[in-house]
Amino acid sequence: MTEDFTRLTASSGDRATAPAGGSAQPMTRREARAAEAPLSRRALREAEAAQAAARRSRRGVVPRPPAGPVATTPATTAVTPTVPLRKRVARKVFPPIVMAAAAALIVGTSVPSSVLGDPNAPAATASLGTVASALDAGAVIESGASRSASDAPEAQVLAATSDDASALPVASRDDWSVTSYAEMMRLRYGNRTFAYATTGAGAVRWPFPFAAPISSGFGSRAAPCWGCSSYHQGLDFVPGYGTPIQAIAGGTVTLSQQGGGFGNHVHIDHVINGQRVTSVYAHMIWDSSPLRVGDTIEAGDFVGLVGSSGISTAPHLHFELHLDGVPVDPYAWLVTNAS
């Protein structure tokens, strides 16, 4: 619209100032308005048409195409892909074949065989060539219905007789039994004897002045309780609860402790035959041992009282011997060295 107004102004100015016949003739005000009126109305109509088109586009209305000729482009047609002949044939033939196979499978697995044939008919023994020759000669083949019952083959019967019943094989079951692990350990290690004799005197002696019973020896065993070892590294003496315990030889106390799996226990170091020997006394009654680390004792001195402290199943003395720190069988060592 602004361009039209500018063009109108320029046109009016040209007409007002253009020379006519070589001389400039000025236009009156009425003539100027009359010349400007058509152009102003045309510019106004174009502006209104542009505003109406904008409103229609906002409302989604497709604007009306112009009246003049419009350049058109040739329409592109969609090309349908060509399906090969083999695929078209497979699409039409394959589904019926699959359905027929499924129907045959259902019939074959659900219909009993007796429906398709006579189960009592005898097996055919003649070949096709023999049957054809007989038919050419005028023979008549009888069906199962026309054949009399006397012509039917006899059923096969198997009979077994035995004069000696002992000749028949008799099935038997092997005898078996179950042995627990504890019983196996008892059979393996429980047959050991721990008999010994002692005078209760001498430089090396047993932990008691009399032959106290021994309930468990050194070595493998069935663990008697949860937390108990299956490899016993000592001897278990069972002289009775509260029985006094004596030192096996003179030496020095290296450990006196209350707690742990051994409960109240004491370690004493000895030098016997030039070798360091450590004796261990465990599971004594709490606070029953007067010994302290560094005490020097003699053979036969009081060590403590038999108890059941720590991890224990009953009152007993757990006694160990270590030669240079290595546990050995106390029974074999005491039998050899104790007087």
Side-chain angles (χ1 to χ4, degrees), residues 289-317:
S289 177
L291 301 180
R292 298 294 179 266
V293 176
D295 291 350
T296 301
I297 61 173
E298 300 295 333
D301 285 354
F302 176 74
V303 176
L305 300 177
V306 174
S308 187
S309 59
I311 301 177
S312 173
T313 57
H316 69 285
L317 168 66

Side-chain angles (χ1 to χ4, degrees), residues 194-231:
F194 298 101
Y196 66 96
T198 178
T199 60
V204 179
R205 59 189 70 180
W206 291 78
F208 301 97
F210 56 91
I214 299 175
S215 63
S216 180
F218 182 88
S220 299
R221 66 171 182 176
C225 65
W226 181 88
C228 297
S229 63
S230 59
Y231 188 84

Side-chain angles (χ1 to χ4, degrees), residues 31-55:
E31 291 176 350
R33 282 198 302 269
E36 294 174 357
L39 296 178
S40 299
R41 285 195 294 270
R42 180 180 179 183
L44 182 59
R45 285 196 300 271
E46 291 179 357
E48 291 177 352
Q51 292 178 358
R55 286 195 299 269

Side-chain angles (χ1 to χ4, degrees), residues 94-255:
F94 188 69
I97 295 176
V98 173
M99 295 179 64
L105 180 62
I106 294 174
V107 172
T109 55
S110 59
V111 177
S113 60
S114 59
V115 176
L116 305 178
D118 185 6
N120 298 322
T125 57
S127 62
L128 293 178
T130 305
V131 174
S133 301
L135 291 176
D136 294 339
V140 178
I141 300 177
E142 298 180 356
S143 62
S146 63
R147 186 181 301 146
S148 63
S150 61
D151 296 337
E154 297 182 358
Q156 184 179 8
V157 178
L158 298 178
T161 59
S162 176
D163 298 334
D164 188 4
S166 62
L168 298 176
V170 178
S172 61
R173 175 183 294 177
D174 295 336
D175 295 333
W176 57 274
S177 60
V178 177
T179 303
S180 64
Y181 178 74
E183 182 66 15
M184 293 176 61
M185 293 294 102
R186 188 189 67 79
L187 294 175
R188 183 175 181 180
Y189 302 105
N191 56 358
R192 293 182 296 178
T193 59
F194 298 101
Y196 66 96
T198 178
T199 60
V204 179
R205 59 189 70 180
W206 291 78
F208 301 97
F210 56 91
I214 299 175
S215 63
S216 180
F218 182 88
S220 299
R221 66 171 182 176
C225 65
W226 181 88
C228 297
S229 63
S230 59
Y231 188 84
H232 200 214
Q233 296 186 354
L235 289 180
D236 287 347
F237 293 89
V238 287
Y241 184 81
T243 302
I245 305 168
Q246 64 181 7
I248 65 168
T252 304
V253 177
T254 57
L255 178 66

